[in-house]
Amino acid sequence: VFIGDSVWIGMNVNIIPGVTIGNGAIIGMGTTISKDVAEGAIVVNNTQRVIGHRDFEKFKYLTENSKFFGKYFPNL
């Protein structure tokens, strides 16, 4: 299993071996991941339904400028 940077994974998520989860993806609580997840995708349910995508331009800006964790970890 490969999990990219800044991925949010909810409680009770099952991830099948060999799956890749792209950077910035969000996996909803109780979801079973059986195939690859694209970067920035928001995935829910056991059918692995994509309900949306993150604003990837804003996501890239925040990660490049260390804005995600800067409030809590100013040295990053």
Side-chain angles (χ1 to χ4, degrees):
V1 173
F2 175 78
I3 299 175
D5 294 333
S6 302
V7 173
W8 297 358
I9 300 177
M11 275 181 34
N12 298 325
V13 171
N14 297 312
I15 302 173
I16 304 302
V19 170
T20 299
I21 299 174
N23 295 334
I26 300 172
I27 312 298
M29 190 169 86
T31 302
T32 299
I33 302 298
S34 59
K35 57 186 177 182
D36 291 349
V37 176
E39 288 188 342
I42 303 170
V43 180
V44 297
N45 208 341
N46 287 337
T47 59
Q48 200 168 337
R49 185 168 53 114
V50 177
I51 61 169
H53 289 83
R54 295 177 78 169
D55 180 359
F56 220 71
E57 293 302 317
K58 184 175 182 180
F59 173 76
K60 283 183 181 179
Y61 169 79
L62 292 173
T63 54
E64 288 171 358
N65 294 302
S66 300
K67 299 289 184 179
F68 264 124
F69 304 108
K71 179 178 177 183
Y72 302 105
F73 305 105
N75 296 331
L76 288 179

